Amino acid sequence: MRPGRRNAGRAAPVTASPAPLRLIDVDLDAQSRTESGLAEFDRVLGGGFVAGSVVLVGGAPGVGKSTLLLQSLLSMEAAGVSTLLVSGEESAGQVKLRSMRLGGEGSGLRLLPETQTESVMAALEHLKPAVCVVDSVQTLWSGEVGSAPGSVAQIRDATAQLVRVAKDNGITVVLVGHVTKEGELAGPRVLEHMVDAVLSFEGERTQPFRILRAVKNRFGSTNEVGVFQMAEQGLVEVPDPASVFLEEGDLRSGSVVVPVLEGTRCLLAEVQALVAPSSLALPQRVARGVDRNRLAMIVAVLSRRARLPLLKCDIFVNVAGGLALEDPAADLAVALAIATAWRDGAGGQGVAAFGEVSLTGKVRYALQGEKRIQELVRRGFSQILVPGRNVEEFSKAGGRDSGLRLQAGFDVEQAVKRVTARSNGG
Ligand code: TYD
Ligand code: MG
């Protein structure tokens, strides 16, 4: 034993040794869950709301958070679950109007238009609903905390109190939180550590589709997603979302499809590019749905490794349908969209691709390639460019390449040549 070590634990003498459980004796059924009333929501939660858990639902203003949660509350209330909506942003009348749109105006759902943290706590302890939604956590404030409503200290204090009440009474508390334009929760990052699950509701206001994503989930697998469509009468679930983000009609030059993984699902995304000679000293690089740094890297690789003269060109990249691509396997599709856009009017029709592009110009193996290839086959793409090892894996697993033009074993330069050459030859 090292000197000094002996005294280290002296301060807290142990009185009784706590008895550990055996893994085999842990009962998962003891974790009771309440279904949210929306299968896509349950999928993200890992099978419904866990009693006593606190779930944070973040998203930009107007994305549909209040709609999602009101729909879920109405459905749970109709199924006999006791619910409560604490509304700090909207008056009871506004909630009623929204519920009319959703066809739930006759519901017995309980409303509490309230922003004072202590009052909300008292109501929860008195009513003990199974599920309570607080819309939004940013509106809660307490006189005990010496700072303005909406401040980090207020939000943190309200969350800490809600977490305690939830655990003590077995109430599921769902907190709605606004995020800033940069996607950060308006409030402290620490909030994410205080709650059991963090879900993010994403999508562009002007687009119909919304994705609900689990960023953190103590009671389910993270990275599972739910897909919804915002319609006249609220959110409609999209159980088979693979191709809903594709634009209608034929793919044009400058447009390449990529299968991206979202949890256990594979979605097809369409990457569109436009390349034009620039009159600026610093040519523009505009990206929507693709990380700007990632785009800069792909442009650099195309310039240096595939020798495309892009340095004096403005480059615009957009992902159709308001999807934001995070999967690194989208790199090759971005590269090929730019390459076919540069070769304007040529090639690109019906091209799909995936694979991460490295700085050396190599295209790397992608996870779950089989699933991605199958989705492309299902949609009948005529030219599919895939990392070599993914093709090998696909054939080994007995995947058939009937009539499908699966192409493998290339680097970025070869891939660009194939896609642009096809256009010239026909
Ligand atoms: P909302 O749920 O208020 O967003 P958040 O709480 O995230 O700020 O949704 C706002 C948008 O949704 C608004 O632009 C109107 C639209 N909407 C519909 O299209 N259909 C509907 O049935 C409802 C209730 C809202
Ligand atoms: Mg709202």
Side-chain angles (χ1 to χ4, degrees):
M1 192 180 276
R2 277 181 289 137
R5 193 68 199 271
R6 242 188 306 162
N7 295 331
R10 252 200 203 160
V14 174
T15 46
S17 155
L21 281 174
R22 295 229 178 250
L23 190 57
I24 188 175
D25 298 327
V26 177
D27 186 6
L28 279 184
D29 293 337
Q31 229 180 46
S32 93
R33 291 202 185 242
T34 305
E35 288 180 0
S36 68
L38 294 158
E40 290 292 300
F41 200 169
D42 287 339
R43 183 186 174 95
V44 181
L45 290 167
F49 294 115
V50 174
S53 70
V54 179
V55 180
L56 177 66
V57 178
V63 73
K65 301 179 295 297
S66 302
T67 306
L68 175 74
L69 291 162
L70 181 58
Q71 246 173 281
S72 169
L73 283 175
L74 289 171
S75 167
M76 285 189 285
E77 183 65 34
V81 178
S82 76
T83 55
L84 176 68
L85 172 58
V86 176
S87 178
E89 298 203 337
E90 290 170 347
S91 66
Q94 284 168 314
V95 176
K96 176 94 181 184
L97 280 175
R98 189 194 297 271
S99 71
M100 286 166 76
R101 250 180 117 165
L102 304 174
E105 67 272 25
S107 168
L109 171 66
R110 289 177 292 188
L111 300 180
L112 187 68
E114 181 60 68
T115 56
Q116 220 215 335
T117 313
E118 286 77 14
S119 307
V120 174
M121 295 307 133
L124 280 174
E125 278 175 334
H126 175 64
L127 298 169
K128 291 196 174 52
V131 181
C132 170
V133 170
V134 178
D135 190 359
S136 67
V137 66
Q138 274 110 351
T139 58
L140 291 186
W141 68 278
S142 163
E144 301 282 299
V145 180
S147 63
S151 64
V152 169
Q154 287 285 5
I155 297 170
R156 196 188 310 185
D157 170 75
T159 306
Q161 292 202 49
L162 284 163
V163 168
R164 186 183 49 74
V165 173
K167 304 281 169 221
D168 289 353
N169 299 283
I171 302 170
T172 298
V173 175
V174 183
L175 303 174
V176 173
H178 293 296
V179 296
T180 59
K181 276 207 199 75
E182 291 73 40
E184 289 278 306
L185 205 67
R189 256 268 132 96
V190 284
L191 211 62
E192 301 193 3
H193 301 295
M194 296 166 75
V195 300
D196 298 301
V198 180
L199 313 185
S200 130
F201 204 31
E202 300 164 5
E204 303 230 348
R205 272 174 92 158
T206 52
Q207 301 281 345
F209 294 102
R210 303 282 182 271
I211 291 185
L212 185 66
R213 192 190 300 281
V215 180
K216 157 182 171 173
N217 192 352
R218 282 186 187 148
F219 302 108
S221 69
T222 36
N223 76 30
E224 199 54 89
V225 299
V227 183
F228 299 88
Q229 179 170 6
M230 183 59 94
E232 258 320 292
Q233 276 115 25
L235 290 156
V236 180
E237 303 186 64
V238 184
D240 182 15
S243 52
V244 296
F245 292 96
L246 297 184
E247 286 199 343
E248 308 251 323
D250 286 346
L251 286 172
R252 297 261 179 113
S253 162
S255 160
V256 174
V257 167
V258 55
V260 288
L261 293 179
E262 290 287 2
T264 54
R265 275 170 161 165
C266 178
L267 302 182
L268 299 185
E270 182 179 334
V271 184
Q272 304 166 341
L274 185 67
V275 177
S278 180
S279 54
L280 302 171
L282 258 183
Q284 297 199 70
R285 301 282 185 262
V286 181
R288 221 169 122 236
V290 176
D291 179 64
R292 267 187 66 99
N293 292 328
R294 201 86 204 161
L295 174 63
M297 188 212 72
I298 293 168
V299 172
V301 171
L302 282 172
S303 309
R304 299 287 299 182
R305 309 284 176 194
R307 283 173 279 248
L308 292 191
L310 296 171
L311 291 180
K312 295 204 169 67
C313 293
D314 288 331
I315 299 176
F316 304 88
V317 173
N318 177 41
V319 181
L323 264 185
L325 302 184
E326 275 166 21
D327 190 341
D331 287 357
L332 184 60
V334 174
L336 295 180
I338 295 171
T340 59
W342 169 73
R343 277 290 196 113
D344 192 27
Q349 291 94 341
V351 174
F354 66 84
E356 182 179 345
V357 169
S358 72
L359 285 176
T360 59
K362 286 250 176 333
V363 179
R364 286 215 195 104
Y365 171 80
L367 289 175
Q368 302 200 41
E370 276 175 68
K371 193 177 242 168
R372 300 181 203 248
I373 295 171
Q374 267 158 15
E375 202 53 62
L376 295 172
V377 171
R378 198 156 81 106
R379 287 278 302 189
F381 280 89
S382 57
Q383 197 180 15
I384 304 178
L385 290 100
V386 173
R389 263 182 62 208
N390 283 112
V391 175
E392 279 170 35
E393 195 185 71
F394 183 70
S395 328
K396 261 195 208 141
R400 275 181 309 138
D401 184 11
S402 57
L404 151 96
R405 305 183 84 215
L406 205 55
Q407 308 186 352
F410 50 75
D411 57 22
V412 169
E413 185 178 7
Q414 287 168 312
V416 166
K417 275 196 183 133
R418 287 193 202 193
V419 176
T420 50
R422 185 172 168 263
S423 55
N424 298 336

